[in-house]
Amino acid sequence: MLDLENALPSLINSDYNGYIVSQAYPFIYNDPVDNTSTKNGLIIHFTNGSRIVYRLSGTGTSGATLRVYIERYVTDDLLEDPETMLKDLSDISRQIAEIPTRIGKNIPDIIT
């Protein structure tokens, strides 16, 4: 995650099969009650409104779980299979974070 965070500025304007990165930054939650700030993931926005969010979750039995959230805004084809609709972004998410080479995964363990 640290390597990906350090690479975020260099992703701006990168073109991944027509998905062009418009913004890339860490998500920081600023608590209004105790004024603490917590880094809670990395967000990559594309010019077409799509985005990829990477988060680590330590709720597993060992180590951390990498959670990848993929969003694509559409107004048509609403009955199409979500996995089919998000396949390109799913592939891009693995490429950007170098998931296959870093953790050896080519497909996710769980899709929800």
Side-chain angles (χ1 to χ4, degrees):
M1 286 292 281
L2 182 58
D3 287 344
L4 178 56
E5 182 178 349
N6 290 335
L8 292 177
S10 68
L11 296 177
I12 306 299
N13 296 318
S14 295
D15 186 335
Y16 295 92
N17 298 325
Y19 288 86
I20 300 168
V21 176
S22 60
Q23 299 178 62
Y25 55 91
F27 172 74
I28 311 268
Y29 174 74
N30 298 306
D31 191 302
V33 176
D34 65 9
N35 295 317
T36 59
S37 295
T38 306
K39 194 180 305 176
N40 202 10
L42 306 174
I43 303 174
I44 299 172
H45 287 272
F46 297 88
T47 57
N48 68 355
S50 299
R51 76 177 182 168
I52 299 170
V53 178
Y54 300 91
R55 287 190 63 238
L56 286 179
S57 171
T59 58
T61 55
S62 67
T65 299
L66 174 62
R67 298 182 186 274
V68 181
Y69 302 90
I70 300 169
E71 300 174 352
R72 182 177 148 220
Y73 179 75
V74 297
T75 57
D76 57 350
D77 296 328
L78 297 179
L79 298 178
E80 188 173 342
D81 175 48
E83 286 185 54
T84 301
M85 291 179 71
L86 298 173
K87 183 182 181 327
D88 290 343
L89 280 170
S90 181
D91 293 344
I92 291 166
S93 74
R94 287 189 293 280
Q95 179 183 354
I96 289 174
E98 301 174 346
I99 292 172
T101 57
R102 289 183 179 266
I103 60 176
K105 297 278 183 181
N106 290 309
I107 58 171
D109 291 329
I110 299 172
I111 299 173
T112 60

